[in-house]
Amino acid sequence: MAARIHLVRVVMFVAAAALMASFSGDAGEGGAAATAQQELRRGFSVSHDESYSQFQPVLADPTVTFALGFLRVNTTMLDLAVLHLPSAFPLWRAIPDRPAPWSSSASLTFDDGGLALTDRAANNKVLWSSTAVASSASAGDRVLLLNTSNLQIQATTSAAAGVVWQSFDYPSDTIVQGQNFTSAAALYTSDRRFAMRLGSNYFALYIEPPPSSGVAAATSAAAMYLKHTALEAKAQIVAGGGPIYARVEPDGFLAMYQKEGPPADVLSFDTFNRGVRAFRRMTLEPDGNLRAYFWDGTRWALDYTAITEPCELPTTCGAYAVCAQPTGRCECLANATDGGSGCAAPAAVVSSLCGATTGGLYGAVRRQGVEPANKELLGFEHAASAADCEARCERNCSCWGAVYSNGTGYCYLMDYPAQLLVEGDERKMGYFKVRSMEEEAAARGGSGSRRAKAALLAVGVAAVVAAAAFGVYRVWDRRRRNAMDARRQLGAVDDEGLSPGPYKNLGSFSSVELTNSFRR
């Protein structure tokens, strides 16, 4: 897998190099520079050209370091993205809720003052638009891509001249140096499993709740697994003084501010104050870790990693698993089997966590010697015993698990499916709600759910038929015995030991045939 990803990166790097050469070449030669503009005006429209293998540029910045265009994602899907051309890394993506395939006849238009990505094959269905993202945005007159990688829609002729929309306000999984990351925004991994958000005086990483299906779905909160609180050494964060914001600075650190001036916090990278002047980015990566890089001219050099312990990373073992520190070895929570290939994953929740768990849609799993890796970030209550702690979770409709510490009497309640569990001492006792097979079938829905219902119906019908057949057999057997007794009295029993009559062939109606009759 790693080799394949590396190969894709190499191919994209070569393509980007060729693209940059064509950008800087003579536009009259018909290269990509002829198609990628440096400004879009109202009425602009461009169609997706499938002949581009990975990226079709539409708009370039003045330095030809960044470009906006159609990006091929996961080999088959299409997205709108701003690329860092030397590395072919997407710094911003639109990420439509329902993306179109790369083979679709998509188009990008700038009309009515906003950008829109549409699918012409689906009756011009809007896949993404700047006006939908920011419904209060005014109409713009032109689109520019700045040399910071910021995509802007600007108004030039209206009374409200200025920036009416910009990609810096709506990051996807990455922020770059000079970009203000505000409390109104969030970073999400492309699958939306993990998020980074700002609080009143901190930033934090979260496991996002699984999608919910059904009106009576159980609630599942985002699980915080990393929190960095501002030290406030150089500036204080004043309550009521406005929200904080964060920014990657050129000297190699992430700063938190409440207002311009000295930062309230400095999170230093490896190259902090070492005079390394390079383009920097910070990305929330698919494994849930937050990392910072700088471009050294040939590659993205790693400069900061937020989580260095394997068991503190949610993707090391996944859901319903226990992680052994410091090796990162995984063991399934329910049956203590090897969890290296994954245990059960939290799927969509379709029912409440209230009611009986034994024999119901949720089963209770108890495990000694486990504790949450993020227990310092969890709220706790004082409980008299492990049973008391367990009862508090069992009665709580939004509680997925509880861990009790005999040493402190603390009861940690988890309002998310069991994750980030690590081995602890034997004084820790865990209680967890785990989805049963019936719930998993219901969560999958569709044909899986219908197959489960059909199987249960077949079993029910088989049971009824078997009961009826047994009743018929009892009647027949009683009559057979009576007939045999009568024939013995007359001295006339046949070779098979059966009396002649309509019930003679019922022996062929065996349980095997009854079972086979439902194998359709």
Side-chain angles (χ1 to χ4, degrees):
M1 176 62 74
R4 184 169 58 186
I5 293 174
H6 178 70
L7 178 61
V8 171
R9 286 292 186 195
V10 169
V11 172
M12 294 185 73
F13 179 83
V14 172
L19 182 59
M20 290 183 67
S22 63
F23 272 148
S24 57
D26 184 2
E29 294 179 3
T35 58
Q37 306 183 34
Q38 292 194 351
E39 179 179 293
L40 308 182
R41 286 284 182 174
R42 283 199 182 195
F44 171 84
S45 178
V46 62
S47 297
H48 169 232
D49 185 350
E50 195 179 348
S51 65
Y52 287 87
S53 62
Q54 296 292 337
F55 180 69
Q56 177 187 346
V58 173
L59 178 68
D61 81 298
T63 66
V64 200
T65 304
F66 312 104
L68 168 73
F70 299 104
L71 175 66
R72 190 172 195 157
V73 179
N74 295 332
T75 71
T76 60
M77 306 310 292
L78 180 144
D79 200 356
L80 185 66
V82 172
L83 253 62
H84 176 253
L85 291 175
S87 64
F89 183 85
L91 300 171
W92 175 85
R93 286 175 53 192
I95 311 181
D97 290 335
R98 295 184 179 179
W102 180 253
S103 59
S104 69
S105 55
S107 63
L108 178 67
T109 59
F110 180 55
D111 206 0
D112 298 326
L115 279 171
L117 178 66
T118 59
D119 187 356
R120 289 176 298 163
N123 296 321
N124 287 323
K125 177 183 177 181
V126 177
L127 304 174
W128 173 89
S129 72
S130 59
T131 54
V133 172
S135 57
S136 60
S138 303
D141 301 304
R142 66 176 184 176
V143 182
L144 296 175
L145 184 60
L146 307 185
N147 61 5
T148 59
S149 78
N150 190 12
L151 179 67
Q152 288 188 345
I153 300 177
Q154 300 177 352
T156 58
T157 58
S158 64
V163 178
V164 298
W165 182 93
Q166 58 181 355
S167 61
F168 271 18
D169 290 339
Y170 304 93
S172 46
D173 61 0
T174 298
I175 54 174
V176 301
Q177 69 181 48
Q179 177 178 356
N180 286 343
F181 179 62
T182 69
S183 58
L187 297 186
Y188 290 99
T189 53
S190 57
D191 57 6
R192 299 189 75 85
R193 286 181 63 194
F194 308 106
M196 173 184 173
R197 287 188 283 269
L198 291 176
S200 58
N201 64 341
Y202 63 89
F203 77 80
L205 304 183
Y206 299 86
I207 304 172
E208 289 296 278
S212 177
S213 61
V215 177
T219 58
S220 176
M224 183 188 296
Y225 62 96
L226 181 142
K227 182 179 182 180
H228 178 83
T229 303
L231 294 177
E232 302 184 48
K234 295 183 178 180
Q236 298 294 309
I237 296 176
V238 180
I244 66 170
Y245 57 95
R247 186 168 63 226
V248 175
E249 298 291 6
D251 287 333
F253 63 94
L254 178 70
M256 280 193 278
Y257 302 90
Q258 191 175 37
K259 60 181 180 181
E260 288 299 311
D265 186 73
V266 171
L267 178 64
S268 59
F269 304 158
D270 293 343
T271 57
F272 176 60
N273 278 345
R274 292 188 181 179
V276 177
R277 290 287 174 168
F279 184 69
R280 300 179 181 272
R281 67 173 170 94
M282 177 172 269
T283 300
L284 181 61
E285 303 198 320
D287 65 354
N289 214 338
L290 182 68
R291 296 181 176 91
Y293 301 84
F294 67 90
W295 181 250
D296 69 0
T298 58
R299 64 184 181 92
W300 288 108
L302 182 63
D303 204 21
Y304 168 78
T305 302
I307 299 174
T308 57
E309 295 296 329
C311 289
E312 295 178 5
L313 200 60
T315 50
T316 298
C317 292
Y320 303 121
V322 180
C323 185
Q325 303 182 93
T327 62
R329 179 181 56 84
C330 304
E331 188 177 273
C332 289
L333 177 66
N335 53 18
T337 57
D338 177 43
S341 58
C343 303
V349 182
V350 296
S351 63
S352 171
L353 292 175
C354 297
T357 55
T358 303
L361 295 179
Y362 289 87
V365 173
R366 295 169 181 84
R367 178 77 177 262
Q368 192 171 2
V370 297
E371 63 180 346
N374 59 337
K375 65 181 181 181
E376 289 82 6
L377 305 177
L378 294 176
F380 65 86
E381 303 173 0
H382 287 279
S385 63
D388 179 29
C389 180
E390 176 179 320
R392 297 184 188 200
C393 181
E394 187 175 19
R395 294 190 301 263
N396 189 335
C397 298
S398 61
C399 181
W400 289 81
V403 175
Y404 178 74
S405 172
N406 275 310
T408 61
Y410 291 167
C411 177
Y412 298 96
L413 299 178
M414 302 165 60
D415 53 1
Y416 55 89
Q419 297 185 73
L420 289 169
L421 295 174
V422 297
E423 289 182 343
D425 60 60
E426 294 303 308
R427 295 177 298 172
K428 308 294 194 308
M429 175 59 74
Y431 162 82
F432 309 98
K433 296 174 183 177
V434 180
R435 302 164 65 81
S436 69
M437 293 179 62
E438 292 87 350
E439 176 72 352
E440 292 291 350
R444 285 192 296 269
S447 60
S449 179
R450 288 192 292 271
R451 283 195 298 268
K453 293 178 180 178
L456 291 174
L457 178 61
V459 171
V461 172
V464 171
V465 173
F470 182 70
V472 171
Y473 170 77
R474 288 291 301 272
V475 172
W476 166 78
D477 186 58
R478 188 165 50 249
R479 292 185 180 181
R480 178 183 65 85
R481 291 177 183 275
N482 291 338
M484 287 180 65
D485 290 343
R487 289 175 66 83
R488 284 193 185 97
Q489 294 175 10
L490 297 174
V493 178
D494 64 11
D495 293 337
E496 295 179 357
L498 297 173
S499 61
Y503 296 103
K504 184 175 181 178
N505 293 323
L506 273 178
S508 64
F509 189 66
S510 66
S511 60
V512 174
E513 291 180 357
L514 178 65
T515 304
N516 289 337
S517 67
F518 290 94
R519 294 177 182 171
R520 296 287 192 268

